[in-house]
Amino acid sequence: MAEGAPGAGLAALPDSVLLEGLSAVAAPGAGPGALETRGPERAPGGGPGAAAGGWGLPGAGGCSVSSRTLWHLLRRHLRDGLRTLKVKGALCSARKHEILSPALLAALGRQCPRLGRLCLAEADLRPLPYQSMPASLRTLELSHCEIPAAWFQGPAASALPQLQHLIVRNVPAFCDQHLLNVSSQTHLKTLTLSGTYRVTDAGIQRAAVYLGGLERLVLRHCVITDSAVRFIGRHMKCLRLLEISNAYSLTNAGLACLATLKCLETLCLDLCDKFSPDAIVALCQALPQLRNLNLDGAHFEDEAIHKIQASLPNCSFSHTP
């Protein structure tokens, strides 16, 4: 086989060959340290996925590799073509050896300057300084991870100058101070907080003044009230998508505060039973760009559902009790 162009590396290989190669070099019993490669995805903003030009393994669930193997791949193959890297750690495993280290992350930043998306799951990140993350990242996803209190704080908070999309799911240590620091040091367009019970109304209030350019906000299983929603409506005027679910303390008064979001195109209010149909209709009619309304989990009578639908002829409506 003819040699490829310099720097083509793994990105030039067919999917089947790449999958076989990764499987061959993976250390037996490597366990949860996983380099996960999947097919084309969509970025949080809804555009073409960051994985374009990177690796795609349609139908592959991921390939387990050791830290040593990842070092080998990094030194020999991973170059400009790597756009997305997904790593599953050892937090929920009997084997506690994590695949990532400050040295490996620093090398990743040098070797892969186009790496834009890093997804970390079930990883103990407490030994890793935030400033060791590759500076090229535009998207950082943390799922079921442990992070130190010092993350996002002080000079380290500006370590990711290009960060635009932050997704935090079930990271118990993520708190108001983390939210304030990352919001004040970056220009976020997407923010997803799911199961971050340490984020409170006060945290939303303090961070909201720095989130004027935010376009997508998702709050799931967060302990917030009408007070937090008031500051969302006051400061996040560029929002195009807003999802609030399992926020059982929100009322009609808080819902009315969202009428200032004139750019809002998609509104999802899941399992928010304290909203009345009239309050929902009044809000949606005040949002000129609204095209999608999702009320999954709301326990409304059929008559109320029909009233909402009839009042919003230009809006796609979905409701699953």
Side-chain angles (χ1 to χ4, degrees):
M1 183 173 63
E3 292 186 3
L10 293 180
L13 293 177
D15 291 344
S16 58
V17 175
L18 178 57
L19 178 57
E20 290 297 326
L22 283 176
S23 299
V25 298
L35 176 68
E36 189 170 347
T37 50
R38 293 182 178 175
E41 300 182 43
R42 290 205 164 271
W55 296 358
L57 298 177
C63 179
S64 293
V65 299
S66 66
S67 179
R68 179 180 178 181
T69 299
L70 185 53
W71 267 113
H72 175 81
L73 292 171
L74 184 59
R75 289 170 178 147
R76 298 290 186 89
H77 303 288
L78 302 185
R79 300 293 189 214
D80 290 356
L82 186 65
R83 309 289 186 84
T84 295
L85 179 63
K86 298 184 179 184
V87 177
K88 182 178 180 181
L91 190 63
C92 300
S93 170
R95 295 189 61 177
K96 296 301 182 183
H97 179 69
E98 291 289 345
I99 191 173
L100 295 178
S101 66
L104 193 149
L105 285 170
L108 194 64
R110 292 191 303 269
Q111 300 273 106
C112 308
R114 301 173 71 185
L115 179 64
R117 184 182 180 201
L118 180 61
C119 308
L120 304 176
E122 298 179 17
D124 186 356
L125 305 176
R126 288 172 292 190
L128 299 180
Y130 181 64
Q131 55 267 38
S132 66
M133 293 291 162
S136 59
L137 292 183
R138 289 180 170 84
T139 300
L140 178 62
E141 299 186 25
L142 306 175
S143 179
H144 297 273
C145 293
E146 290 289 352
I147 62 173
W151 260 39
F152 309 112
Q153 294 187 18
S158 58
L160 301 184
Q162 301 183 66
L163 188 66
Q164 295 181 347
H165 311 287
L166 178 65
I167 295 92
V168 182
R169 303 186 185 95
N170 300 102
V171 178
F174 192 89
C175 64
D176 288 347
Q177 192 61 47
H178 288 125
L179 177 60
L180 175 61
N181 291 331
V182 73
S183 300
S184 61
Q185 296 291 335
T186 59
H187 300 285
L188 292 180
K189 292 184 178 179
T190 300
L191 177 62
T192 294
L193 300 177
S194 179
T196 51
Y197 63 87
R198 295 183 188 274
V199 174
T200 67
D201 287 349
I204 298 291
Q205 175 182 346
R206 293 163 62 196
V209 297
Y210 301 104
L211 295 173
L214 199 66
E215 297 179 2
R216 300 168 65 90
L217 175 63
V218 176
L219 300 173
R220 300 180 185 136
H221 300 276
C222 294
V223 187
I224 60 171
T225 69
D226 290 346
S227 176
V229 177
R230 183 166 65 251
F231 287 98
I232 291 172
R234 181 179 300 177
H235 296 288
M236 303 183 195
K237 300 295 181 65
C238 293
L239 280 180
R240 296 169 54 198
L241 179 147
L242 174 62
E243 176 184 333
I244 301 177
S245 63
N246 300 88
Y248 301 107
S249 298
L250 297 185
T251 68
N252 289 339
L255 192 64
C257 298
L258 300 177
T260 59
L261 304 179
K262 302 302 182 182
C263 297
L264 198 66
E265 300 172 1
T266 298
L267 177 62
C268 304
L269 301 171
D270 295 351
L271 295 173
C272 299
D273 289 336
K274 293 187 179 180
F275 299 147
S276 70
D278 288 340
I280 292 173
V281 169
L283 169 63
C284 294
Q285 290 180 338
L287 302 174
Q289 301 300 320
L290 191 68
R291 296 295 178 265
N292 301 286
L293 175 64
N294 186 313
L295 297 178
D296 284 352
H299 299 290
F300 292 142
E301 299 293 334
D302 289 344
E303 182 179 350
I305 294 297
H306 294 324
K307 178 181 179 179
I308 294 173
Q309 287 180 297
S311 302
L312 305 170
N314 298 321
C315 186
S316 174
F317 177 76
S318 62
H319 169 249
T320 304

